[in-house]
Amino acid sequence: MRSFKVRLALVGLSLVALVAAVPVAASANAMPSGERMHGNVSVEPAYNDADGSIIYIQTPNHLAPLGPTNVIQNVNAHAVAPLFLIVYPKPIATFNCAGVPGNCPDHAGPIAGIAVSLQPSVYGTDANLIPGHDHLLAGQHAGDFNIAWRVYVELFTSPAAVTHITTLTALNAAKSAGAIQEVDTGIVFLCSIVSQSAYLAGTPVA
C-alpha cells in the first residue's frame, strides 16, 4: 500500500517513535503474507469482507494519497469504500502483513505505532513487538466496493476480545460489543483488485 505510505507514516509517527525490527519473509506455499513488487506497483493480500476469502490489492508505488485534507474536494463520498486494517497483539494467524517493519515495511510501523499509543494495555508499549495486521475490504462486484478506499485502523480494546476477524459481519459484531476501537485515519487512496497469479509473480519485499 505504498500509495498512502507518506501520510500514514505521519499519522503513526505523531503518536510514537519507531525503531527497526527483524523482517518476516512471505511464503507462497502457505497463507499469503506480505507485499510483492511488480516494477512500479505493489500487490498484497487482503480478506474479502463478505466471506473471508483471500483477495489481492494492487497500488502504484508513487500514487499520492487523496486525503485527509482533500478528501471532500477530490473524491465523491459516495465513491469511497472503507478499508479496515485490523491490528493483532498476538500471533493467532498468518497475517496479511507480518512483523514490524516485516513484510509490509512501508506501512506496518506507523500502524503498530497507533496500536501501542492508543491501546497499550492490549498491545504493550513496544511497536516492534506487534506480530501483524490484516486488510479487510469488499471484493469486486460485492459489498461496498470502489477503487477509492478510506483507511480505518481497528484496535482490540482488551486481551480477552482478541479473535481473528476475517469478515465485515464479525468486525461489526466486535464493534457493537465494544471489543474494537476504530480509528479513522482520514486517508483515502486508490487501488485495484488483482489475481492471485499477479501476486505470486511479484517479488517479495522481505
Side-chain angles (χ1 to χ4, degrees):
M1 289 180 192
R2 296 176 185 271
S3 62
F4 63 92
K5 173 182 177 182
V6 174
R7 198 171 299 277
L8 185 56
L10 291 175
V11 173
L13 292 176
S14 67
L15 296 172
V16 64
L18 302 175
V19 295
V22 177
V24 179
S27 171
N29 298 320
M31 286 290 287
S33 180
E35 295 175 316
R36 295 188 173 212
M37 301 304 302
H38 289 276
N40 289 328
V41 299
S42 64
V43 182
E44 56 195 294
Y47 283 101
N48 182 333
D49 68 14
D51 59 12
S53 60
I54 294 292
I55 55 180
Y56 300 88
I57 54 177
Q58 175 177 284
T59 307
N61 290 352
H62 305 296
L63 180 64
L66 304 177
T69 58
N70 57 353
V71 169
I72 295 176
Q73 295 93 322
N74 290 342
V75 183
N76 185 319
H78 297 293
V80 178
L83 188 151
F84 307 104
L85 304 182
I86 306 173
V87 189
Y88 291 89
K90 58 185 181 181
I92 61 174
T94 298
F95 298 121
N96 296 159
C97 288
V100 179
N103 56 20
C104 293
D106 61 7
H107 65 280
I111 292 168
I114 292 172
V116 299
S117 178
L118 297 182
Q119 290 289 345
S121 64
V122 179
Y123 295 92
T125 57
D126 187 349
N128 297 311
L129 299 182
I130 300 296
H133 68 271
D134 284 335
H135 315 121
L136 185 68
L137 68 156
Q140 203 164 7
H141 308 305
D144 192 3
F145 173 83
N146 263 295
I147 61 168
W149 303 89
R150 188 173 182 117
V151 180
Y152 298 86
V153 176
E154 309 293 332
L155 306 175
F156 291 96
T157 57
S158 74
V162 177
T163 185
H164 196 207
I165 295 174
T166 61
T167 66
L168 183 59
T169 298
L171 178 60
N172 286 339
K175 290 180 188 177
S176 296
I180 287 283
Q181 174 189 5
E182 182 169 272
V183 180
D184 182 356
T185 68
I187 297 167
V188 177
F189 74 103
L190 301 178
C191 76
S192 57
I193 293 179
V194 297
S195 67
Q196 180 187 47
S197 60
Y199 175 75
L200 295 176
T203 301
V205 299

